[in-house]
Amino acid sequence: MGSAPRDAFIDWQTRFGVDGAEIVRRLKEAQTDHGTIARSDVRTVAQDLGMPVAAVAGTAAFYADLAVPVRQERHVRMCRGTACFVATGGSADESHLDGDPGGSASVQHVYCLGYCYAAPAAMDGATPVVGRPLIAANAVDRREDVPVIPFRAADSEAVVLAGLTGAARSWQVWPEVVKTTPPEHIRNEVLRAGLRGRGGAGYPIAAKWAAAGAGDPPRYVVANGDEGDPGSYCDRLLMEYDPARVLEGLALAGYAVGAQHAYVLVRSEYPAAVDAMRAAVDEARRAGHLGSGVHGADVDFDVTILVGAGSYVAGEETALLRSVQGLRGGVQARPPYPTARGLAARPTAVNNVETLAAVPWIVQHGGPAYAALGLPEENGTKLVSLNGLFRRPGVYEVEFGTSLRTIVETLGGGVRDGQTLRAVQVGGPLGGFLGSDDLDVPLSAPALAEAGAALGHGGIVAIGDTVRGQELLHHLWTLADAESCGACSPCRVGSRQGLELCSAPDQRLPPERLLQTMERGSLCAFGRGIAGAVRSLLRVYAADFGGTEES
C-alpha cells in the first residue's frame, strides 16, 4: 500500500510521457484566442487530452508566459535582467516606452532575453529591440539596430565555437561514428577529456552518460536550452548561429547513452533560436543525419524541439524534465536521479547546450587534446558572456584558469568611457559579486567559490558606480521572489522575506539566520545560490550599507 501512490504517479508519467508538452501548446492557443486562460479553458484542455484537471491547472498557474494577459495585436516582453538593470543605471522606470503600452499592447516582464551585450532590451512580438527608447511605433522596422553578437576564441583553438570561427564544419564526425565506432568509444573519449557540465553544476559528463546508459531502454537525452541566468547568452548564440553543432553533439550523446530520441527545450524568450533549431532538425533529416537507419547503420535517432513557457528554475534538470512533459516546473527531490528515472520515468541524460557543442570536437580530436586545455583539475574551455557596459562586449571562449582580470580588462577592454567599474557579477543571480580590486581570480569553480562567487553559465556583468548597493539588493531579492518555484519553504518563504525586508522604508538587511536557512534547507541550487549571492553583495557594497567596503 505504501508504494501505490508512487507507482500510480510513475504510471501516469509513463502513460502521458512527453506528450504532456501538448498541455502547454493547447494552453497557449487558448491564451492567444481569448487573451487569457480561463478555468473553462483548463477544463477543456484536460478533457480533450484525457489528463487530470489538476495537472493542467498547475501548469497554467506556474509558468510566467501563461499567467499574463496577451493581446493579439501586440505583446511586448520587457527585460529586467541584471544587464538591462545596470544599463538603465539601476532604474526599473519604464517611462521610456513610447505611447501608452498598457492601452495598445500587453506587457510582460522577463529576466533575460539574451541581448545583454546591447542592453536594455525588449522583444516586440518576435522582434528584438535594444537601446532607449526600447519600444517605438515602428519597432518592426528596427531589426538592424540589434548588433550581431561579437565572439572569438581568446587563447586557444576554438572548441565550442569551432563552427562559428570556420575551423570545422558541423556534422563532421556523426556520419562515420554511427557506421564504424562503438558507443563505448564515444563515452571513453569524453571520459578522457574530463568534460564537465557547463550549465553550472559541473558534473562529469561521462559518469552521467554511463549511469543513464546502464538503465533499461527506452532511454532519452535532453538538451537544456533554457539558458536562464541574466547576463549569459552563449547558449542563444550557439542555438541561433550554430544549431547543427548542438544537434550533432546531442546525437553523439544519444548514441553513447543508447537513446533513440532526444528533446531540446528552448526558452520562449529566444524565438529566433527556436526557429533556427527547428530548421536545423529539418535539414538534418533531409541529410540523413536523423531518422531510421541513420546513414545506413543500425541506428535510429530523432530530435524534437520544444518551447518553454517562462521559468528560471526550469533550467534545473528535474524541473526541466517536468517542463518537457508539460507539468509544473517544480524541483523534485533526488534520488532517484534523472539518469535512473527521468523523462516519462525512463533513464535520461540532461546536458547543457554548451556542453553538447563541445562533444563533436572532442570526438574528432580525441579526449586527451581537450584535457590538455585549461587546468589539470578543470579541463577544457568555457564560454563567457560580457554585457554592454564593456568596451568590447560579446562571447569569448577561454581556457579554465584565465584570470577574471584578463577577461574584464584585456578581452572586454574595461568599461565604457564615462563609467567606473565598481563590481562584476559572475555566474548570474546564483553566482556572486566581486569588487573591481578582487579580479585576480582564475576562472575556476573552486577558486571562484573561495572568492565568494560561482561560475554558473559564465555570465560576467560589469556594474558601474552609478548603481547603488541598495538598488542591486532589491533587484536580486525581486528576482528571487519572482522565480522561486515554490517547491520548498526555505526558498519560497525566504525569498519573500528577503524582498519584504529590503522593501521596507529603512531597507533592513536579511539576518544571517535567514540566509543560513535558505542555504542549508533549499531543495535545489536556487535558494542556496541566492543566499550566497546576497552575502557577496553585502560584502562588496558594505560602504553603501554603512559598513566598510572590502577591497
Side-chain angles (χ1 to χ4, degrees):
M1 291 292 293
S3 63
R6 178 67 180 173
D7 292 342
F9 177 68
I10 293 172
D11 289 344
W12 185 86
Q13 280 190 304
T14 304
R15 177 184 173 190
F16 295 104
V18 294
D19 291 335
E22 182 73 3
I23 300 174
V24 174
R25 189 186 70 80
R26 291 288 300 275
L27 288 174
K28 285 185 176 180
E29 286 181 352
Q31 184 184 41
T32 300
D33 292 341
H34 309 147
T36 188
I37 299 172
R39 291 183 179 180
S40 58
D41 295 320
V42 171
R43 289 194 296 269
T44 298
V45 171
Q47 182 177 2
D48 290 350
L49 298 179
M51 304 185 79
V53 173
V56 179
T59 299
F62 181 83
Y63 294 100
D65 290 358
L66 303 178
V68 297
V70 173
R71 299 198 176 190
Q72 290 182 326
E73 301 82 12
R74 192 180 185 193
H75 183 65
V76 176
R77 281 178 284 190
M78 299 289 301
C79 184
R80 282 187 171 176
T82 309
C84 289
F85 179 78
V86 168
T88 57
S91 171
D93 177 35
E94 294 175 4
S95 60
H96 53 283
L97 290 174
D98 282 3
D100 177 16
S104 61
S106 51
V107 177
Q108 177 185 357
H109 297 107
V110 299
Y111 277 102
C112 198
L113 292 170
Y115 292 91
C116 316
Y117 60 96
M123 192 73 69
D124 193 352
T127 303
V129 185
V130 298
R132 303 178 72 171
L134 284 176
I135 307 302
N138 63 341
V140 293
D141 299 322
R142 300 180 63 228
R143 293 176 186 267
E144 68 276 8
D145 290 351
V146 181
V148 175
I149 304 172
F151 56 85
R152 68 185 178 98
D155 51 14
S156 66
E157 178 183 1
V159 176
V160 180
L161 295 180
L164 292 170
T165 60
R169 300 186 311 275
S170 296
W171 293 106
Q172 190 168 18
V173 299
W174 174 246
E176 287 301 315
V177 162
V178 294
K179 291 185 290 187
T180 63
T181 307
E184 54 267 25
H185 174 78
I186 307 300
R187 295 195 298 268
N188 188 52
E189 289 304 318
V190 171
L191 175 64
R192 296 168 73 196
L195 180 65
R196 291 176 175 268
R198 298 295 183 241
Y203 191 80
I205 298 305
K208 178 178 286 190
W209 289 359
D216 294 332
R219 310 178 189 103
Y220 296 102
V221 287
V222 176
N224 184 350
D226 195 7
E227 179 184 36
D229 276 358
S232 175
Y233 49 93
C234 58
D235 287 357
R236 181 175 79 80
L237 165 80
L238 294 170
M239 289 187 288
E240 284 190 29
Y241 293 92
D242 198 13
R245 178 168 299 278
V246 176
L247 291 177
E248 185 177 24
L250 183 61
L252 291 165
Y255 185 62
V257 167
Q260 294 185 340
H261 206 103
Y263 294 84
V264 183
L265 183 70
V266 185
R267 61 191 286 105
S268 63
E269 292 89 343
Y270 292 174
V274 173
D275 292 343
M277 291 294 291
R278 284 175 171 165
V281 167
D282 291 341
E283 182 179 347
R285 287 176 182 148
R286 289 192 296 269
H289 300 316
L290 302 177
S292 300
V294 174
H295 293 299
D298 186 22
V299 174
D300 299 338
F301 189 76
D302 209 348
V303 178
T304 298
I305 306 299
L306 301 173
V307 184
S311 170
Y312 178 94
V313 178
E316 191 274 341
E317 63 176 5
T318 62
L320 178 85
L321 295 178
R322 289 179 61 83
S323 184
V324 166
Q325 295 179 111
L327 307 175
R328 290 174 61 94
V331 175
Q332 290 184 288
R334 296 173 294 179
Y337 291 92
T339 50
R341 186 168 290 168
L343 190 62
R346 307 306 308 168
T348 306
V350 181
N351 293 132
N352 162 262
V353 163
E354 181 185 345
T355 308
L356 294 168
V359 174
W361 191 96
I362 291 172
V363 173
Q364 181 180 21
H365 295 85
Y370 185 84
L373 302 173
L375 300 169
E377 68 278 7
E378 200 162 8
N379 308 129
T381 66
K382 179 74 185 80
L383 298 185
V384 293
S385 306
L386 306 187
N387 68 317
L389 200 68
F390 286 97
R391 284 193 176 93
R392 292 191 293 273
V395 170
Y396 297 86
E397 183 171 7
V398 300
E399 292 186 46
F400 280 103
T402 305
S403 75
L404 282 181
R405 190 169 300 282
T406 297
I407 296 171
V408 169
E409 297 180 356
T410 303
L411 301 182
V415 294
R416 295 183 181 276
D417 294 340
Q419 295 278 351
T420 300
L421 181 67
R422 185 171 183 188
V424 294
Q425 183 189 54
V426 183
L430 309 187
F433 297 85
L434 296 174
S436 58
D437 295 330
D438 301 327
L439 301 180
D440 295 313
V441 179
L443 191 72
S444 159
L448 287 171
E450 186 176 351
L455 181 60
H457 269 83
I460 299 178
V461 177
I463 304 169
D465 58 359
T466 59
V467 180
R468 298 183 304 132
Q470 292 88 340
E471 295 164 338
L472 270 176
L473 181 63
H474 189 272
H475 168 74
L476 185 59
W477 280 122
T478 300
L479 183 148
D481 180 62
E483 295 293 348
S484 173
C485 77
C488 66
S489 56
C491 178
R492 180 183 68 251
V493 178
S495 295
R496 175 53 57 91
Q497 287 184 350
L499 179 59
E500 290 174 348
L501 287 170
C502 77
S503 299
D506 55 350
Q507 195 181 46
R508 288 171 289 163
L509 300 182
E512 177 59 23
R513 65 178 182 276
L514 171 63
L515 300 180
Q516 287 183 1
T517 300
M518 294 183 68
E519 186 175 56
R520 298 174 183 175
S522 294
L523 191 58
C524 78
F526 186 82
R528 299 193 295 269
I530 291 295
V534 168
R535 285 197 188 97
S536 69
L537 189 155
L538 296 178
R539 180 180 66 250
V540 173
Y541 286 88
D544 290 19
F545 297 99
T548 302
E549 188 169 336
E550 296 180 5
S551 60

